[in-house]
Amino acid sequence: MGKRGASHIVWDWNGTLFHDNDAIIGATNAAFADLGMEPITLERYRALYCVPVPKFYERLLGRMPTDAEWQVMDDTFHRYYTEHRVRCSLTEGAGLLLAEWRSAGHSQSLLSMYGHEELVPLVRGFGIEEHFIRVQGRVGPSGGSKADHMVRHLEALARHGVEPGRTVVIGDAADDAVAARHAGARAVLYTGGSHSRASLEAVGVPVVDTLAEAVAVAKDFGSGAAAFG
């Protein structure tokens, strides 16, 4: 009691620790091509992207995709992404930030909506797995919100002494902040990934341009407060 700042960080993966914008946009456009749609730019993607993902496609199509269309697009997206993610790297400075947070005696974990079986070897390949007390990817259908996954993630971390009220979620999507609030944690959103600054600022949590700034904000948060004050 009486301590200030976060004691635990839950990191997002795609667009946050993993700088995969090029693979994401390429995979999205490959999926769009299956429906005869024009390619989308990164700027337009950031302005319109939302979760659940079919809603994002509705914004572009002008209608909700059918179940068959969604399945084709989702399959194409993941096939293309898997082929092209190999050219992507960690976000600049991410490895050092992870090491410094751990060295300072704090804990951190990784929660992603990327498939768990694909996520774990990818994280391991970058040599950063040791910094996390838990690495968790999506199990089940893709395209949904992270909210319920976040609740289960923090419940699993309770045995490590992780308290939601002293946890900060760092991600690049509005849904990361929604998930944090749902689980009783705080959130900081990073502009380097899937959303424009304007769409992130509309959520009502701190928005930063670098991961170093995100960690600095996490350090400054008070303890025991609700996610959105």
Side-chain angles (χ1 to χ4, degrees):
M1 297 296 292
K3 295 181 180 179
R4 294 190 60 81
S7 61
H8 184 83
I9 290 176
V10 178
W11 291 95
D12 174 57
W13 180 245
N14 302 99
T16 303
L17 288 176
F18 190 41
H19 187 65
D20 59 349
N21 291 344
D22 288 344
I24 291 287
I25 295 302
T28 299
N29 284 330
F32 287 172
D34 283 343
L35 295 187
M37 297 171 59
E38 293 295 318
I40 188 173
T41 64
L42 177 60
E43 290 71 26
R44 183 164 171 75
Y45 180 95
R46 283 175 164 166
L48 297 178
Y49 182 75
C50 64
V51 172
V53 177
K55 183 69 176 178
F56 167 56
Y57 289 150
E58 180 185 23
R59 291 181 174 184
L60 295 163
L61 282 168
R63 61 175 175 80
M64 186 67 74
T66 66
D67 290 344
E69 287 173 335
W70 161 250
Q71 192 60 59
V72 169
M73 296 172 79
D74 193 48
D75 289 347
T76 300
F77 176 93
H78 285 96
R79 183 171 62 253
Y80 182 101
Y81 179 83
T82 299
E83 293 173 358
H84 291 267
R85 73 182 187 194
V86 295
R87 294 198 291 268
C88 301
S89 61
L90 293 179
T91 299
E92 183 177 359
L96 180 60
L97 288 170
L98 294 173
E100 289 178 343
W101 185 258
R102 181 185 177 204
S103 294
H106 305 305
S107 61
Q108 55 200 331
S109 58
L110 176 58
L111 175 62
S112 174
M113 294 303 286
Y114 190 45
H116 185 77
E117 292 185 359
E118 293 81 17
L119 174 68
V120 172
L122 188 56
V123 171
R124 188 171 295 152
F126 281 112
I128 59 173
E129 185 181 23
E130 64 179 358
H131 298 310
F132 305 110
I133 59 175
R134 184 176 179 85
V135 174
Q136 180 181 342
R138 171 185 50 79
V139 176
S142 63
S145 173
K146 188 182 280 187
D148 290 341
H149 297 270
M150 185 67 70
V151 171
R152 291 192 292 271
H153 185 75
L154 290 179
E155 287 175 348
L157 293 177
R159 68 178 184 274
H160 295 283
V162 173
E163 303 171 14
R166 296 200 62 213
T167 295
V168 173
V169 176
I170 298 178
D172 70 313
D175 188 59
D176 290 304
V178 172
R181 176 173 55 188
H182 189 66
R186 290 179 177 266
V188 183
L189 298 179
Y190 162 63
T191 62
S194 62
H195 282 39
S196 66
R197 171 174 275 278
S199 60
L200 294 178
E201 289 178 340
V203 182
V205 302
V207 176
V208 299
D209 295 319
T210 68
L211 295 186
E213 291 177 274
V215 173
V217 171
K219 290 178 181 177
D220 288 339
F221 274 139
S223 65
F228 285 73

